[in-house]
Amino acid sequence: MIERLDTRKRPTLRDHVSDALRAAIISGELEPGVLYSAPWLSERFGVSATPVREAMLDLVKQGLVISVPNKGFRVTETSDDDLDAIAKIRLLLEPPSVRSIVGDIPEADIPGLRLQADKIVDAAKRGDLVEYVDADRRFHLMLLDYCRNPRLSQIVSDLRAQTRLFGLAALVERGELEKSAQEHHTIVDLIEQRRGEEVERFLRSHIGHVRGIWAAGNAPDGVG
């Protein structure tokens, strides 16, 4: 069940709805091939239809949904080959990039990273997949921000948006999502200890879950 949103968290309602819809698509709350109307989505998310339509048009531009005139929006399907390629590209980009800036993250910023990790764990405990995916996205982009390379951050953000994590619901049912969520605290611990090589290795394993347990166990050989 998609949770109703606290729209006070975002500076604009359109941005808030866009982030939540994107997370719902990634987590499988909104299913590929299914046609969703703006009124139905607005009722689910507890907002008016206008910001939903605006947000969905943003997602159309990103290729996450297709607009069906006078009917609504259909979530696009992503093939296993696409997901394999996305995971491999992320493995090439993220772990070495984060390793390169471990020594540049100020000690004063560590509590903020821990707070974001806490949000991921809290969402996992509540079984809120939409919030989990969004909090996870924010955490990883916070790390990449220290690279001071907006193009890198945008590429990774786009890749994450195209990922599908349909295995998360099964993890919630088995009570295992919280364990996966705790990995973000391990990442912060390694950063705080300035253990760059270990951060890189751990991130490779962590991102590998995208094509492993988080993606319903459909990982190809060598990934996950």
Side-chain angles (χ1 to χ4, degrees), residues 9-192:
K9 294 180 181 178
R10 293 288 296 174
T12 69
L13 188 56
R14 177 175 180 165
D15 288 343
H16 182 76
V17 174
S18 182
D19 286 348
L21 288 170
R22 186 184 299 108
I25 291 170
I26 293 170
S27 69
E29 293 272 4
L30 297 181
E31 300 178 20
V34 176
L35 183 67
Y36 295 98
S37 69
W40 186 89
L41 289 168
S42 66
E43 181 178 353
R44 280 292 190 182
F45 284 89
V47 295
S48 66
T50 297
V52 167
R53 290 192 183 92
E54 293 174 343
M56 290 301 270
L57 290 175
D58 291 338
L59 300 186
V60 168
K61 294 177 183 177
Q62 297 172 25
L64 298 183
V65 298
I66 297 171
S67 177
V68 181
N70 302 318
K71 292 185 178 181
F73 302 89
R74 193 184 306 277
V75 176
T76 58
E77 301 200 33
T78 303
S79 71
D80 283 344
D81 287 343
D82 287 335
L83 294 176
D84 294 344
I86 290 168
K88 289 176 181 178
I89 295 171
R90 287 189 59 195
L91 285 169
L92 288 172
L93 293 176
E94 292 185 59
S97 295
V98 173
R99 175 185 177 179
S100 72
I101 49 82
V102 164
D104 298 331
I105 299 177
E107 189 71 26
D109 289 3
I110 297 298
L113 292 172
R114 288 199 185 282
L115 178 61
Q116 189 62 33
D118 284 338
K119 293 179 180 179
I120 301 171
V121 174
D122 180 62
K125 288 180 178 178
R126 292 184 284 106
D128 187 339
L129 298 185
V130 172
E131 183 60 31
Y132 181 92
V133 170
D134 189 53
D136 176 70
R137 177 184 69 88
R138 293 177 188 278
F139 177 87
H140 287 277
L141 292 181
M142 282 173 67
L143 294 181
L144 290 178
D145 280 346
Y146 290 100
C147 295
R148 301 183 185 281
N149 187 334
R151 289 182 181 273
L152 170 65
S153 296
Q154 188 60 57
I155 289 171
V156 171
S157 180
D158 291 344
L159 289 171
R160 292 179 64 88
Q162 297 169 48
T163 301
R164 299 293 184 267
L165 303 176
F166 298 156
L168 292 181
L171 289 180
V172 172
E173 292 178 1
R174 298 197 301 267
E176 297 176 5
L177 185 59
E178 185 179 347
K179 180 180 178 181
S180 293
Q182 290 289 352
E183 291 186 0
H184 298 85
H185 278 294
T186 301
I187 293 170
V188 178
D189 289 341
L190 293 173
I191 290 173
E192 185 175 29

